[in-house]
Amino acid sequence: MSQAEADTDREERKSGDQEERATAPDGLWAELRAAVTPRMAAMIAGALLLQLGFVLSYVGAFHHPEPHRVPITVVAPQQSARQVVQKINAIPDQPLKATAAADEKAARALLRDGGTSGALIVSPQSRNDRLLVAGAGGASTASAVESVVTQAERSQQRTVTVTDAVPAQPGDARGLSSFYLVVGWTVGGYLFAALLGVSKGARPSSVRRAGARLLAAVPYAVLSGLGGAAIVGPVLGALDDHFLALSAVGALVVFGAAAVTIAFQVLFGVLGIGVTVLLFVVLGNPSAGGAYGTDLLPPFWRAIGPALPNGAATHAVRHLVYFSGHGIAVNLAVLVAYALGGVLATLAAATLTHRRMSPELDPAGARG
């Protein structure tokens, strides 16, 4: 073997030894430790907890829906109305909360205004009564009222005929369009803010730039509100009419979601996006009264639903379209509170962050 061949063979063996050492367990572990920094490990742990929270929240809310004190109205002769109300309210676990109405006209008015989920019209001349429900308020709630009343009537050797007195529009299957419209608006709002954070940095470098992000969310929110209302109305015919009112609600929902997300990013950096997902997706969607009415959810989700933007907006949209806007003042107040709170928290957090910045740092030269 020539000297050149010997040198080549020696170099190949040396290279092979180096590759073997690089692929050894210690080498892989060192590379893994270098790749997964403590900060990255914390973010991965947070993502895992968020994922498990998603499963827990959705399955926990939907795995066993049961009605709880769903309001219904009873119309019966004066001498028996009180007795009927007492029997309904005495049903174990209190699935319904019955009150008496003076007559059928009054009961129908409550049903049209969303003040009750059902109206039981008791007929003293026969053993068959009538139940009026409002499918537009959510098919799950209407079905639950029908099921409970049917069983109660059967226990009294009576029957009941069910009529949907406030049906959902033909394009609004099971009354779910309002919920999915709100989901789209909410997702759009926090995605807009998240994209700004990814492209410009989670934390704005100055108060002025934080304000600029909030201002940029305004036209986006207006366009989102108009676009969503157009899709569910003229385009698909799911929620016809009330175009301008729906657009206004949509703009408020989108801006509120964006403002809250921007605030969380200023406060927590990149982790703020995870906090946003926790609020709007993990907690907000299952408690919004979409797939199942709020009165059918377990206590935790039933309690938080009206206080979160998803639930407030879903109720507001549904009542705008089907119940003449009755009872939405509180919902609008919740949405305004989130939008205003997001703005104030963003500006306050940005101000504090800016004050802590090094005097040598020129905010005008930093990323916005």
Side-chain angles (χ1 to χ4, degrees):
M1 178 183 296
S2 66
Q3 183 62 37
E5 291 174 337
D7 291 342
T8 301
D9 185 58
R10 193 161 45 248
E11 289 297 327
E12 290 178 350
R13 287 199 301 271
K14 182 178 178 181
S15 176
D17 291 342
Q18 290 175 343
E19 290 180 1
E20 184 176 352
R21 285 196 298 273
T23 56
D26 288 345
L28 285 175
W29 178 245
E31 289 190 14
L32 183 62
R33 284 187 299 175
V36 183
T37 61
R39 183 172 182 271
M40 179 62 70
M43 293 178 68
I44 293 173
L48 176 61
L49 291 175
L50 202 61
Q51 170 192 334
L52 297 178
F54 182 95
V55 176
L56 174 63
S57 186
Y58 278 71
V59 177
F62 298 151
H63 77 291
H64 188 52
E66 288 186 335
H68 177 76
R69 296 177 66 82
V70 181
I72 72 165
T73 303
V74 173
V75 178
Q78 187 174 2
Q79 62 272 20
S80 60
R82 183 177 178 182
Q83 183 180 9
V84 173
V85 167
Q86 289 177 342
K87 286 182 179 180
I88 292 175
N89 290 336
I91 297 174
D93 298 325
Q94 295 183 302
L96 304 177
K97 180 183 179 181
T99 56
D103 52 33
E104 183 174 339
K105 182 180 179 181
R108 285 182 176 272
L110 284 172
L111 204 61
R112 287 193 302 270
D113 292 346
T116 188
S117 295
L120 178 61
I121 316 298
V122 178
S123 175
Q125 290 81 25
S126 70
R127 303 198 66 80
N128 179 259
D129 300 325
R130 291 181 295 134
L131 175 65
L132 309 179
V133 297
S140 60
T141 301
S143 296
V145 170
E146 177 181 348
S147 176
V148 174
V149 170
T150 299
Q151 292 180 24
E153 291 277 292
R154 188 179 299 124
S155 70
Q156 301 295 318
Q157 288 78 49
R158 301 181 67 85
T159 58
V160 64
T161 301
V162 182
T163 302
D164 191 347
V166 188
Q169 295 182 12
D172 184 16
R174 297 184 62 81
L176 291 174
S177 298
S178 55
F179 169 65
Y180 289 115
L181 175 61
V182 170
V183 169
W185 279 333
T186 307
V187 169
Y190 70 70
L191 279 182
F192 171 82
L195 288 173
L196 282 180
V198 170
S199 64
K200 297 293 186 179
R203 289 189 171 99
S205 59
S206 68
V207 179
R208 187 174 69 178
R209 288 181 174 171
R213 293 191 185 188
L214 293 170
L215 287 176
V218 174
Y220 179 85
V222 172
L223 290 175
S224 297
L226 291 170
I231 290 172
V232 300
V235 176
L236 297 179
L239 299 174
D240 285 325
D241 302 325
H242 306 88
F243 176 79
L244 291 179
L246 287 179
S247 299
V249 172
L252 184 57
V253 172
V254 175
F255 180 78
V260 168
T261 305
I262 293 171
F264 283 150
Q265 288 182 107
V266 175
L267 288 168
F268 307 115
V270 176
L271 295 179
I273 297 176
V275 179
T276 300
V277 172
L278 174 65
L279 177 67
F280 291 117
V281 179
V282 176
L283 297 176
N285 283 345
S287 64
Y292 290 101
T294 305
D295 293 328
L296 275 65
L297 299 177
F300 173 75
W301 290 269
R302 190 167 63 240
I304 67 173
L308 295 179
N310 312 56
T314 298
H315 185 274
V317 170
R318 193 172 275 161
H319 278 238
L320 267 175
V321 175
Y322 293 117
F323 302 105
S324 303
H326 288 277
I328 69 170
V330 173
N331 306 137
L332 296 179
V334 169
L335 297 177
V336 170
Y338 275 91
L340 185 58
V343 170
L344 295 177
T346 296
L347 297 178
T351 300
L352 292 176
T353 301
H354 182 61
R355 288 177 178 175
R356 289 198 300 266
M357 293 173 64
S358 171
E360 291 80 15
L361 180 61
D362 178 15
R367 289 193 304 167

